[in-house]
Amino acid sequence: MFGCLVAGRLVQAVPQQVAEDKFVFDLPDYENINHVVVFMLGTIPFPEGMGGSVYFCYPDQSGMAVWQLLGFVTNEKPSAIFKISGLKSGKGSQHPFGAMNLPQTPTVAQIGISVELLENLAQQTPVASAAVSSVDSFTEFTQKMLDNFYNFASSFAVTQAQMTPNPSEAFIPANVVLKWYENFQRRLTQNPLFWKT
């Protein structure tokens, strides 16, 4: 039903089933993994109204399992990429694997998938640093940078009556900056990678 992929490694398509609704994949040498992809194989869909919470588990310094919620997969969202490289020092969170005695070794982490109701998935909050950088975060950064530039430039705006002539300074009308700002945002919305051409 599920698969797990780490760059440079073979696809894992046979998870260990540890309960009727819980599955785990072992991630040997997890310290050298930055991202992991969890996906549905497409052979068996989730039952109606169900989805899968995806957890990352690693052994802490004392060898105890630390579980962190990464996100979820559903029939509508059958795959997800998670960044796990920054999670190895974070705190654990509530998880459905608590009563299970899953073996932990110092160099092996696990990806756990718990089949749950979609309404329960919607109430869970994944660890923020598991989200992978995407065009959306680049677009968000660019828009915040544009907003910051426009606000900064606008803070120096003066009316023509307030201007004192100074032949060594060039003035850019505020409406020119606003027009550039609006055009850039429009182009960014149409194609976030337009600046590469």
Side-chain angles (χ1 to χ4, degrees):
M1 183 171 184
F2 304 109
C4 180
L5 176 65
V6 173
R9 300 186 185 183
L10 293 173
V11 172
Q12 295 185 51
V14 183
Q16 176 187 355
Q17 188 167 2
V18 294
E20 183 180 341
D21 58 351
K22 292 177 184 38
F23 305 84
V24 295
F25 291 100
D26 286 338
L27 299 177
D29 194 27
Y30 75 95
E31 294 92 350
N32 295 314
I33 298 174
N34 289 320
H35 297 84
V36 63
V37 179
V38 175
F39 56 95
M40 296 177 64
L41 297 175
T43 54
I44 302 171
F46 282 109
E48 189 69 31
M50 303 295 279
S53 294
V54 180
Y55 291 85
F56 174 59
C57 174
Y58 64 93
D60 66 10
Q61 293 176 347
S62 64
M64 298 298 294
V66 177
W67 290 88
Q68 294 178 322
L69 177 64
L70 300 177
F72 58 89
V73 290
T74 65
N75 291 334
E76 291 74 33
K77 183 186 175 238
S79 64
I81 303 172
F82 303 106
K83 181 178 179 182
I84 63 170
S85 58
L87 302 180
K88 296 162 192 142
S89 61
K91 293 183 179 178
S93 60
Q94 260 191 325
H95 59 86
F97 296 90
M100 296 176 195
N101 189 11
L102 299 175
Q104 291 294 311
T105 58
T107 60
V108 178
Q110 293 174 317
I111 292 294
I113 301 169
S114 174
V115 178
E116 302 175 22
L117 291 170
L118 290 175
E119 56 199 43
N120 292 350
L121 296 180
Q123 297 172 12
Q124 297 174 353
T125 306
V127 61
S129 56
V132 174
S133 307
S134 67
V135 172
D136 291 336
S137 64
F138 172 76
T139 301
E140 182 181 355
F141 164 75
T142 305
Q143 288 177 329
K144 289 191 183 301
M145 183 181 67
L146 288 171
D147 290 341
N148 184 280
F149 170 73
Y150 181 74
N151 290 337
F152 176 78
S154 298
S155 71
F156 293 98
V158 292
T159 64
Q160 204 165 15
Q162 295 171 320
M163 292 175 65
T164 53
N166 186 348
S168 64
E169 284 188 25
F171 289 93
I172 300 171
N175 66 342
V176 170
V177 174
L178 179 60
K179 185 175 180 180
W180 168 82
Y181 171 80
E182 290 169 345
N183 284 339
F184 198 95
Q185 277 201 322
R186 178 183 47 78
R187 291 179 71 193
L188 190 64
T189 302
Q190 292 172 346
N191 177 11
L193 303 175
F194 81 92
W195 54 272
K196 286 188 171 186
T197 58

